[in-house]
Amino acid sequence: MNLLETLKQEIFSLGITDKLKIAQYIYKRTGELFEYDPLWIFSSLEERENLRKKKIDIRNVTDFDITCFSWAVLYNELLHAFHIVSRVKYIEEEVTNGNSTIKKPAHAYVEVFFNGRVYKADLTASYTDMIGIKYGLDTYYNCQLSKTSYEEKYDFSYVSEDIYQKDMNVEALIEKLKVELEEIKKVCHSTEEFSYYVYQKVGELINILKVNTGYVIGSKYVQALLKLFLGDGHLMQNVYFYNKDKSIYIAVHQITVGRVTHYFAYKKMPDGNYEMHEVTPEMVDLYYDMYSYKLSKDLKSSCLVPSLGWK
């Protein structure tokens, strides 16, 4: 795909001439077209070094998996092609290497400059804007950083509404689900029982939305929804199965009600979309036999003894 030429044609067809809106449009379109690279999550330190150096050719895109590093360079190059002033910024962290300490880039984003103002563009920050763009929700990390002397406050209008509009249907579905879960909560006999229904309903919502998010963004949105309905204190017990060579990634959520443990698997379906369905303990055992796996931080830090398949 010649991404640069495609964007030029789209922007021309839409009649967008304001440079800030062009930058916002490119931000939105990259959020739609690209997926967060799951290799970053399941990679070794050596593999991460290669991902930091990965560069995408804006005139011949063959790989639509990105990290903050590859996206920042891509977005900056696209802006320059439209004669928009910008630069890539890196956040560094100190890493111990033998007896010495060196600094390595831990995150990358882009600063964009318009009429004395500085805007921050950070598509991958906390996965928030990629979730927002793909699901038609708010975005937060495409905003103004500085103000002119005569302005009373910073302008956090984010993306112009004629460039990016939220999908009110998604917000309506979430609000409807909130009400439904409040009614379910009244008749549940325990917190665990209510949690099970929340996992069930979140899976139903994800499957209804049918959004082509890729593995990482979809699984992060599942986690965000669970926290939304169960609270930040909810302890998630997840196992992430993967086969990097075959690009297979499955997130399994475990929830126990009484003495019965239930499993919900977020995985790719035959149509290419990821969905979340309850699976049998036997299926989870099969995942252990077939794939490599890693545990969630919540599960690793808990003192719970898993009831099945934890090898």
Side-chain angles (χ1 to χ4, degrees), residues 21-87:
K21 290 185 177 181
I22 289 173
Q24 291 174 331
Y25 182 81
I26 297 171
Y27 185 86
K28 181 201 76 162
R29 287 294 284 135
T30 56
E32 291 172 344
L33 291 168
F34 290 88
E35 300 175 0
Y36 196 91
D37 195 339
L39 286 178
W40 182 263
I41 296 173
F42 298 105
S43 62
S44 64
L45 293 176
E46 293 78 11
E47 289 170 329
R48 284 196 171 192
E49 283 303 313
N50 291 329
L51 289 173
R52 280 190 178 94
K53 300 172 184 175
K54 177 179 173 179
K55 190 176 186 300
I56 298 171
D57 184 352
I58 62 174
R59 293 172 177 82
N60 183 28
V61 181
T62 58
D63 182 353
F64 287 86
D65 287 333
I66 58 165
T67 64
C68 63
F69 302 104
S70 54
W71 176 81
V73 173
L74 166 85
Y75 184 62
N76 188 57
E77 190 173 348
L78 287 170
L79 293 181
H80 289 179
F82 284 88
H83 308 292
I84 295 170
V85 179
S86 63
R87 65 178 178 180

Side-chain angles (χ1 to χ4, degrees), residues 146-212:
S146 65
K147 61 183 179 179
T148 55
S149 58
Y150 57 83
E151 292 174 322
E152 293 183 2
K153 59 181 181 179
Y154 292 101
D155 175 17
F156 287 101
S157 57
Y158 307 110
V159 184
S160 301
E161 289 188 1
D162 55 344
I163 298 298
Y164 177 74
Q165 293 182 337
K166 292 192 296 181
D167 187 339
M168 303 308 293
N169 292 327
V170 175
E171 289 200 334
L173 284 171
I174 293 172
E175 290 303 316
K176 181 181 177 181
L177 183 53
K178 280 183 182 178
V179 174
E180 184 179 350
L181 287 172
E182 285 301 318
E183 293 302 313
I184 290 175
K185 192 174 186 178
K186 293 176 183 177
V187 298
C188 285
H189 297 93
S190 66
T191 302
E192 291 77 14
E193 183 182 359
F194 175 64
S195 297
Y196 167 74
Y197 283 112
V198 170
Y199 276 80
Q200 195 177 63
K201 293 297 181 180
V202 166
E204 291 176 4
L205 176 63
I206 290 294
N207 302 343
I208 288 171
L209 292 177
K210 287 285 186 186
V211 176
N212 188 11

Side-chain angles (χ1 to χ4, degrees), residues 260-278:
V260 179
T261 301
H262 301 269
Y263 302 91
F264 291 87
Y266 179 80
K267 60 181 292 187
K268 183 182 284 189
M269 306 306 289
D271 65 0
N273 288 323
Y274 280 83
E275 295 185 6
M276 181 172 169
H277 296 277
E278 188 168 0

Side-chain angles (χ1 to χ4, degrees), residues 81-108:
F82 284 88
H83 308 292
I84 295 170
V85 179
S86 63
R87 65 178 178 180
V88 177
K89 293 282 287 182
Y90 293 96
I91 298 174
E92 294 184 325
E93 63 180 356
E94 291 188 347
V95 178
T96 302
N97 184 16
N99 297 323
S100 62
T101 300
I102 60 173
K103 288 185 177 181
K104 279 191 173 183
H107 183 62

Side-chain angles (χ1 to χ4, degrees), residues 110-124:
V110 175
E111 285 185 347
V112 193
F113 303 90
F114 296 102
N115 301 323
R117 298 177 176 87
V118 183
Y119 291 81
K120 181 178 183 178
D122 197 349
L123 183 70
T124 65

Side-chain angles (χ1 to χ4, degrees), residues 242-243 248 285-292:
Y242 61 95
N243 182 319
I248 295 173
D285 267 348
L286 185 60
Y287 292 157
Y288 274 106
D289 291 334
M290 294 176 62
Y291 307 119
S292 302

